[in-house]
Amino acid sequence: LLQGSVLALLLLGLVVGALAALIRRRLLGPALRDAGLALPPARPVRTHPAIPLTLFTVLAVTIGWGLLRDPYAVNTTARLASPSWAHPLGTDGLGRDVLARLGHGAGATVGTAAAVCLLGLLIALVLGFLPGVASGAADIANALPPVIVGILVAAVVGPGTGGAALAVTLLSWPALSAHAAALVQEVRASAFLTAQRAIGATPWWILTRHVLPSVAGPVARHALLRLPGIALALASLGFLGLGAQPPAPEWGLLLDESRAYVERAPWAALAPAVALALLAALAVSGAAYTSGRRRVRKAAPALKEVPVAV
């Protein structure tokens, strides 16, 4: 049943990917190829800097406070204790401090997710200049959910943090590479690049001073927006026993360990869940804030430019 489901997902991904590519070519036609597609300037999205700063401060203080505590200290006399001065987020079923386990688990969840995002970003920037090479592989990767890939990777390398990171990495690059490929195609079809070639600019100059800066910023913000989803995928694999193994303080494992007594001690499950929600809000607000600042900064000098006919 698992093999049949995986094959059906792969076939569905290939068919949908092929149809999407065909529809895209029919809709665009020669517009991009002939530099005839003129897009209006995007309006800057303004986000107050206090929002991401506040979210970052809350997460950083909570994680830093937890790092000062012992996540493995067992105290059975204080098991399932409610939040107090001694245990600000309460204790779990073995009497371990939830705040300590939340702080130490940030490295296994958020740190690994950040590393996966960075690797996916690098892969996307490389494959963005080779869209035809990676299109089929991207369609297959998009069709596979992380859980299925986690099961397959765990069967090969065994369950653990490394196997979960590998499974999520295998699926993290297709959306970023598709975004990068679309931006590369759009920038290459821009009229100002035609003028650069006409005045004798070298391909390396065009790549490093025009194409890559125009692609790297938006794709990096896209990767930042995918950080919470990657962290959630890692936590899901840990929840299913395919990621970090006990007694590691990983956020998905914390959720799994607390589900047996979630009605009696909900704080043990709420702590990693709220942390993941705060991480998602931080990524969205941070990406919106940096995007708004970059667009305003790029639009300001444009008012001083004078068109020159060559």
Side-chain angles (χ1 to χ4, degrees), residues 23-48:
I23 293 173
R24 181 174 182 272
R25 288 180 62 88
R26 295 289 297 177
L27 289 176
L28 291 180
L32 283 179
R33 185 174 62 251
D34 297 337
L37 185 62
L39 298 178
R43 298 180 61 183
V45 180
R46 299 183 182 273
T47 300
H48 198 278

Side-chain angles (χ1 to χ4, degrees), residues 10 136-145 149 170-174:
L10 296 181
D139 295 337
I140 294 175
N142 274 325
L144 288 174
V149 179
L170 292 176
L171 303 179
S172 63
W173 60 268

Side-chain angles (χ1 to χ4, degrees), residues 102-127:
L102 183 71
H104 286 267
T109 305
V110 183
T112 305
V116 170
C117 275
L118 180 59
L119 183 58
L121 174 62
L122 295 178
I123 295 175
L125 291 178
V126 173
L127 295 181

Side-chain angles (χ1 to χ4, degrees), residues 13 23 34 36 44 55 58 60 63 77 84 107 120 144 151 165 210 295 302 308:
I23 293 173
D34 297 337
L55 294 172
V58 172
I63 293 173
T77 60
S84 61
L144 288 174
I151 294 174
H210 296 285
R295 286 173 180 170
V308 178

Side-chain angles (χ1 to χ4, degrees), residues 49-307:
I51 297 177
L53 182 61
T54 302
L55 294 172
F56 176 79
T57 302
V58 172
L59 270 178
V61 170
T62 303
I63 293 173
W65 194 2
L67 290 174
L68 300 177
R69 296 167 173 263
D70 186 2
Y72 300 106
V74 176
N75 183 7
T76 55
T77 60
R79 62 186 303 270
L80 300 181
S82 58
S84 61
W85 286 110
H87 304 286
L89 295 181
T91 61
D92 62 5
L94 296 177
R96 297 173 296 189
D97 188 79
V98 174
L99 178 60
R101 295 183 64 76
L102 183 71
H104 286 267
T109 305
V110 183
T112 305
V116 170
C117 275
L118 180 59
L119 183 58
L121 174 62
L122 295 178
I123 295 175
L125 291 178
V126 173
L127 295 181
F129 293 90
L130 302 170
V133 175
S135 59
D139 295 337
I140 294 175
N142 274 325
L144 288 174
V147 174
I148 298 296
V149 179
I151 294 174
L152 298 177
V153 172
V156 176
V157 302
T161 304
L166 176 60
V168 178
T169 302
L170 292 176
L171 303 179
S172 63
W173 60 268
L176 296 176
S177 63
H179 188 188
L183 290 176
V184 168
Q185 189 177 12
E186 179 183 338
V187 174
R188 282 177 172 174
S190 300
F192 75 90
L193 286 190
T194 304
Q196 288 284 329
R197 299 187 189 98
I199 62 177
T202 62
W204 178 253
W205 174 269
I206 294 175
L207 173 65
T208 56
R209 299 299 298 270
H210 296 285
V211 179
L212 192 57
S214 300
V215 173
V219 178
R221 287 190 292 273
H222 186 182
L224 178 61
L225 289 174
R226 295 183 64 84
L227 176 63
I230 292 175
L232 183 60
L234 292 170
S236 301
L237 294 177
F239 180 83
L240 296 174
L242 301 174
Q245 300 299 301
E250 195 268 336
W251 289 1
L253 196 56
L254 296 184
L255 290 170
D256 181 46
E257 293 172 345
S258 62
R259 62 187 174 90
Y261 46 85
V262 65
E263 295 181 355
R264 180 180 174 185
W267 48 83
L270 283 176
V274 171
L276 287 170
L278 288 177
L279 179 65
L282 174 61
V284 172
S285 59
Y289 175 67
T290 56
S291 176
R293 282 182 59 86
R294 182 175 182 272
R295 286 173 180 170
V296 170
R297 194 163 54 242
K298 286 185 64 178
L303 300 176
K304 302 178 182 179
E305 293 178 359
V306 179

